[in-house]
């Protein structure tokens, strides 16, 4: 099952890969410490928001997945970043999360309008007034209005 999971992951077949890893973990719990299993399951969440991978991480890997979740949450790409954050918190790695760095990565790599609005909220939440200058550069971004104006007004009036 482990080799099948690797093969599916290598072929970018997320759900079959997660299924195979889950079977491997049930049959042989020693796979829990295999970095490639952890990495592939974390990537399944990061890239596809796989619910099954989330369940396997929580139920089968637990704290062993913490470092990989924390690291991937800061990745310089457009991913399901905040799902990784939730999982890291769930498995007990919340104190290792660098929320400002994660928010900044989210802001930098958000592609769609919904993602940009979410990133705006997170950047404002974790940087506060320090985010004003960077956010102000986005005036005129149709995706972010009216949320941007509201966020800037709130941040500029907050002490």
């Amino acid at each position: 099952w482990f080799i099948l999971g690797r093969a599916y992951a290598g072929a970018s077949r997320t759900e079959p890969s997660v299924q195979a890893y889950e079977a491997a973990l049930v049959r042989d719990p020693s796979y829990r410490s295999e970095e490639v299993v952890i990495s592939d399951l974390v990537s399944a969440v990061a890239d596809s928001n796989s619910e099954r991978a989330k369940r396997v991480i929580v139920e089968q890997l637990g704290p062993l997945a913490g470092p990989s979740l924390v690291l991937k949450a800061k990745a310089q790409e457009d991913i399901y970043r905040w799902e990784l954050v939730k999982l890291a918190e769930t498995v007990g790695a919340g104190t290792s999360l660098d929320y400002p760095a994660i928010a900044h990565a989210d802001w930098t790599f958000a592609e769609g309008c919904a993602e940009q609005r979410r990133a705006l909220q997170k950047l404002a939440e974790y940087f506060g007034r320090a985010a004003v200058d960077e956010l102000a550069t986005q005036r005129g971004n149709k995706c972010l209005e009216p949320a941007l104006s509201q966020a800037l007004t709130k941040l500029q009036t907050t002490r």
Side-chain angles (χ1 to χ4, degrees):
W1 290 105
F2 168 76
I3 294 170
L4 190 58
R6 287 293 303 130
Y8 281 134
S12 299
R13 297 198 48 212
T14 301
E15 287 309 314
S17 172
V18 172
Q19 238 176 333
Y21 282 139
E22 182 177 31
L25 289 164
V26 168
R27 285 167 180 73
D28 185 353
S30 70
Y31 284 120
R32 289 183 180 130
S33 59
E34 285 285 337
E35 277 302 314
V36 72
V37 172
I38 296 168
S39 176
D40 285 349
L41 289 169
V42 168
S43 290
V45 175
D47 300 337
S48 305
N49 199 20
S50 168
E51 292 298 324
R52 187 177 207 143
K54 290 178 194 177
R55 185 175 47 75
V56 172
I57 288 169
V58 170
E59 294 175 2
Q60 298 288 333
L61 302 178
L64 293 172
S68 290
L69 290 164
V70 168
L71 184 63
K72 188 69 171 179
K74 294 186 287 187
Q76 303 296 298
E77 57 189 310
D78 189 22
I79 57 175
Y80 288 94
R81 192 174 316 281
W82 297 102
E83 294 301 319
L84 298 173
V85 168
K86 285 191 265 185
L87 275 174
E89 292 168 343
T90 300
V91 300
T95 58
S96 299
L97 290 165
D98 181 351
Y99 292 96
I102 294 166
H104 192 267
D106 199 35
W107 174 253
T108 304
F109 293 95
E111 291 181 1
C113 287
E115 292 82 6
Q116 288 178 28
R117 285 190 296 274
R118 179 209 54 235
L120 162 70
Q121 295 297 330
K122 295 293 186 178
L123 197 68
E125 178 181 347
Y126 291 110
F127 280 91
R129 286 186 56 82
V132 169
D133 289 341
E134 187 160 353
L135 293 176
T137 66
Q138 295 299 310
R139 285 196 169 104
N141 180 333
K142 293 184 190 310
C143 283
L144 294 177
E145 291 300 338
L148 177 63
S149 295
Q150 293 168 352
L152 285 169
T153 300
K154 181 179 178 183
L155 291 172
Q156 290 167 335
T157 58
T158 308
R159 294 188 185 253

